[in-house]
Amino acid sequence: MSVEIINIQSIALAAKLLESGQLVAFPTETVYGLGADAQNDLAVASIFEAKGRPQFNPLIAHIADISWVERFAVMTPSALLLAEKFWPGPLTMVMKRTKDCPISHLVSAGLDTVGVRFPVHPAAREMIAAFGRPVAAPSANISGTVSPTTAEHVNQGLGKKIPLILDGGACDVGVESTILDVSCDDPALLRAGGIAVEEIEDVLKKKLRRPEINPDAPRSPGQLLSHYAPRLPVRLNADHAEEGEAFLAFGKAEKATLNLSPSGDLKEAAAHLFAYMRLLDDPKYKGIAVMPIPINGLGLAINDRLKRAAYPH
Ligand code: TXA
Ligand code: MG
């Protein structure tokens, strides 16, 4: 791992690493992000592996120009209005994915939306522009620890796990971006952050909806995801498919409809999970039978997601 000051060489190195599917920590105006190519399933899976997250929550796709959005998401009139006023800056907007959205389904954690942010920090903008495509990035900390606002914080937590940390000094804002759901034209506040709610309401000329927040887990992404599940019933720990079922395998298997990872690699399985569940959630089957997945490493997050998918609804 190296910590590099920001210059033409280190930005070019960051873009090259992203291109080859590796992770790069970079400064933004809010907190440091742990970036990966948002269109590369395996690279995005590495983010969850490095952070040691027991769950898959959706990640923010960072862009370097507003014109990029139309390649992958739909901007409602509210989104356009807010983008004009607050982008670039600490505002994340959750939008509907386009039909052939190239962003990894793992970035969206299987939802049909994607969180989009256009950071104002020059190093972030330069790195994303040099890379040329959206960069998926959560805060660059180990899961359950405080978000990092200096390169040293990132180094303490993730230094041994990533090849490059771009050092842009301390972050100005120091709290994460404000997150709004603008996927329909009645915007909702999902997370308070770097831009004040009042400022946003002034621009919209109306109050933001505030979906109920669980006081025990105010930031729990799980509750945001509770309405996502395949339509078909999901049967876990299956060793074969019953008549009419699709068979989602892991490791060595006969008669798999799809195999999350024929070699039994959990990172590969995580990378495929949401895309494969979507493919199999097809009325031509009567259910989805899933082979057991070990619970070590990324297996914990995979099993968490599968359990929710199998929960009767
Ligand atoms: O300031 C920030 O937003 C920083 C910097 C690095 O940009 N990023 C950040 O990412 O805080 P993260 O992953 O720590 O938090 C992102 C939050 C998550 O709680 C996630 O649930 C929510 O954004 N989110 C992302 N996409 C979403 C979506 N499609 N629907 C609902 N929530 C979404
Ligand atoms: Mg975070």
Side-chain angles (χ1 to χ4, degrees):
M1 191 275 315
S2 64
V3 181
E4 307 261 341
I5 54 162
I6 314 274
N7 54 34
I8 295 172
Q9 285 80 22
S10 61
I11 294 285
L13 174 61
K16 206 170 111 194
L17 287 167
L18 291 171
E19 192 64 55
S20 67
Q22 302 202 60
L23 304 180
V24 175
F26 63 102
T28 80
E29 66 277 20
T30 56
V31 300
Y32 275 70
L34 181 59
D37 178 352
Q39 297 180 197
N40 178 335
D41 294 325
L42 266 181
V44 176
S46 318
I47 292 180
F48 290 98
E49 191 174 52
K51 282 186 65 103
R53 256 198 161 269
Q55 290 181 335
F56 294 123
N57 62 330
L59 304 175
I60 297 170
H62 296 71
I63 57 173
D65 197 281
I66 295 187
S67 66
W68 290 16
V69 178
E70 66 181 24
R71 302 178 200 165
F72 64 89
V74 181
M75 287 186 98
T76 54
S78 305
L80 281 166
L81 188 65
L82 293 168
E84 205 169 290
K85 180 74 187 174
F86 297 111
W87 274 2
L91 175 68
T92 296
M93 291 196 273
V94 172
M95 307 175 192
K96 279 258 184 294
R97 294 169 63 101
T98 54
K99 206 150 157 259
D100 25 61
C101 174
I103 305 279
S104 167
H105 282 290
L106 190 52
V107 169
S108 296
L111 296 167
D112 59 1
T113 54
V114 56
V116 189
R117 174 155 126 71
F118 179 5
V120 70
H121 194 293
R125 293 174 67 169
E126 281 164 28
M127 182 193 79
I128 301 162
F131 177 55
R133 292 197 300 279
V135 172
S139 49
N141 53 306
I142 298 278
S143 180
T145 65
V146 176
S147 292
T149 53
T150 66
E152 185 44 37
H153 294 163
V154 180
N155 200 0
Q156 283 160 13
L158 292 168
K160 292 202 176 71
K161 299 185 174 176
I162 56 180
L164 174 65
I165 301 172
L166 290 178
D167 186 352
C171 303
D172 290 344
V173 180
V175 295
E176 288 105 332
S177 59
T178 301
I179 305 182
L180 301 181
D181 180 350
V182 294
S183 61
C184 72
D185 233 335
D186 188 14
L189 178 68
L190 299 184
R191 177 174 79 184
I195 292 185
V197 169
E198 294 82 355
E199 262 190 88
I200 293 166
E201 291 179 336
D202 276 354
V203 170
L204 290 174
K205 300 197 175 63
K206 66 174 174 186
K207 295 276 179 210
L208 288 169
R209 267 190 306 129
R210 301 195 186 208
E212 228 169 83
I213 291 178
N214 173 353
D216 297 329
R219 291 206 181 163
S220 159
Q223 55 184 156
L224 295 172
L225 304 182
S226 59
H227 34 252
Y228 169 71
R231 281 166 295 235
L232 292 179
V234 174
R235 188 166 65 84
L236 301 182
N237 299 318
D239 57 7
H240 69 284
E242 303 286 351
E243 177 81 36
E245 275 183 333
F247 191 43
L248 182 58
F250 174 81
K252 271 207 191 75
E254 277 168 34
K255 295 192 187 148
T257 317
L258 289 172
N259 195 324
L260 288 168
S261 170
S263 66
D265 180 301
L266 288 165
K267 187 156 105 179
E268 188 186 7
H272 290 147
L273 180 66
F274 291 105
Y276 284 10
M277 293 286 276
R278 278 179 175 264
L279 284 172
L280 297 183
D281 193 17
D282 182 321
K284 76 180 178 202
Y285 302 114
K286 68 168 207 217
I288 305 170
V290 189
M291 276 178 76
I293 316 276
I295 54 164
N296 58 301
L298 283 175
L300 197 59
I302 295 172
N303 277 284
D304 168 76
R305 171 47 53 197
L306 286 171
K307 248 184 252 153
R308 291 176 202 232
Y311 195 76
H313 56 279

